[in-house]
Amino acid sequence: MRIDIISIFPEFFGVLDISLLGRARQAGLIDLAVHNLRDFTHDRHNTVDDTPYGGGAGMVMKPEPWGEALDSILPATDETDAGTPERATGPVLIFPSPAGEQFTQAMARELAREPHLVFGCGRYEGIDQRVVDHFAGRGRVRLVSLGDYVLNGGEVAVMAMIEAIGRLIPGVVGNPESLVEESHEDGLLEYPSYTKPASWRGLDVPPVLLSGNHGAIAAWRRQQQIDRTRAVRPDLLPAEDDADLQPPANSK
Ligand code: ADE
């Protein structure tokens, strides 16, 4: 997968050289480039923002540097291509924004199948809306929010999204089975995990996990998922407990 990031803080993304995603880059599974938005300015001060039309607090990111930066990354479009299926196969352009659609595991899975993602990190009060409108006319644009809170800019949101998406790219996580039984993969929160020793500071590992009874272990884990989800994220559960939430039939 090819990933391009545009930001006024390219150094923010240095950590993508290390850990799992760093290894994935070295292995050629992820080809990642970070572009400094200020490289696409032409004034002495490398200005990227200006005051908002209509007044109000804060600054808005100017459209011209964004236009040039994105033009340098996105394939040139022939106006006659507009609306053809070709457009639907170009890169996905993602602008992190608290005003966007909610980022989820399902979206991470969907984006992990794309060959090319471009992330545009806004700062201040956001990017001039015409940047989004212009590029929406040239391809697939998504405004994506990490959650219902406000960050100082898109960089942290993009880091989180790249980590969630990157680990779903085939080959990035060594043992793909470890991706299956995770929180959100089946719509429920993950069950609690334990390792040795069997007793620690007076706390014992639940005996069922030492029983060797795989059916009973699967049933216990499933029930833990349901109990946990009901306790802290009831919004993830179906309206009525239905058959999908029952422990597996082989559990006894
Ligand atoms: N930029 C600022 N706040 C954000 C959020 N919650 N999600 C994504 N991008 C943001």
Side-chain angles (χ1 to χ4, degrees):
M1 176 190 282
R2 167 78 186 185
I3 297 177
D4 288 282
I5 304 169
I6 305 168
S7 166
I8 58 167
F9 296 119
E11 58 277 15
F12 223 101
F13 297 93
V15 290
L16 291 173
D17 289 339
I18 58 171
S19 189
L20 201 71
L21 294 184
R23 281 203 299 279
R25 292 174 68 187
Q26 277 163 16
L29 295 168
I30 298 175
D31 173 20
L32 185 138
V34 187
H35 312 266
N36 189 341
L37 183 69
R38 292 195 197 277
D39 291 345
F40 300 91
T41 57
H42 302 287
D43 64 312
R44 225 157 37 94
H45 301 291
N46 301 117
T47 309
V48 293
D49 61 337
D50 208 333
T51 52
Y53 274 122
M59 300 290 270
V60 176
M61 292 190 109
K62 294 165 66 61
E64 302 97 319
W66 277 104
E68 287 192 30
L70 289 165
D71 283 345
S72 77
I73 293 169
L74 299 173
T77 44
D78 175 346
E79 283 307 309
T80 58
D81 281 348
T84 67
E86 283 302 301
R87 256 185 44 188
T89 60
V92 182
L93 177 48
I94 298 164
F95 291 105
S97 163
E101 55 182 316
Q102 168 84 53
F103 186 68
T104 60
Q105 187 68 15
M107 194 191 294
R109 265 197 302 273
E110 186 189 327
L111 294 173
R113 289 194 292 268
E114 292 286 341
H116 189 181
L117 302 179
V118 180
F119 291 95
C121 302
R123 281 261 145 188
Y124 317 116
E125 295 305 305
I127 303 171
D128 188 302
Q129 179 62 30
R130 289 168 295 179
V131 175
V132 175
D133 295 345
H134 170 81
F135 286 97
R138 285 176 51 179
R140 292 180 293 162
V141 171
R142 294 177 84 160
L143 258 61
V144 180
S145 172
L146 211 57
D148 292 337
Y149 41 80
V150 179
L151 305 168
N152 283 334
E155 283 79 6
V156 166
V158 167
M159 288 288 296
M161 288 188 240
I162 289 178
E163 182 146 322
I165 295 164
R167 60 198 296 284
L168 299 176
I169 296 171
V172 171
V173 169
N175 177 4
E177 279 194 16
S178 64
L179 297 176
V180 176
E181 295 192 355
E182 292 183 322
S183 287
H184 303 295
E185 274 304 330
D186 61 2
L188 297 173
L189 302 184
E190 201 172 16
Y191 53 77
S193 298
Y194 299 85
T195 186
K196 291 181 243 344
S199 186
W200 178 76
R201 297 193 178 181
L203 297 170
D204 293 338
V205 171
V208 64
L209 298 179
L210 310 176
S211 69
N213 180 339
H214 298 298
I217 291 170
W220 180 85
R221 286 178 167 166
R222 184 78 178 162
Q223 194 57 52
Q224 289 289 314
Q225 286 191 279
I226 296 167
D227 293 349
R228 268 189 164 184
T229 308
R230 191 174 283 135
V232 298
R233 293 294 307 276
D235 55 301
L236 296 176
L237 292 170
E240 306 234 334
D241 283 3
D242 58 24
D244 286 352
L245 291 177
Q246 297 307 308
N250 66 350
S251 61
K252 300 267 149 62

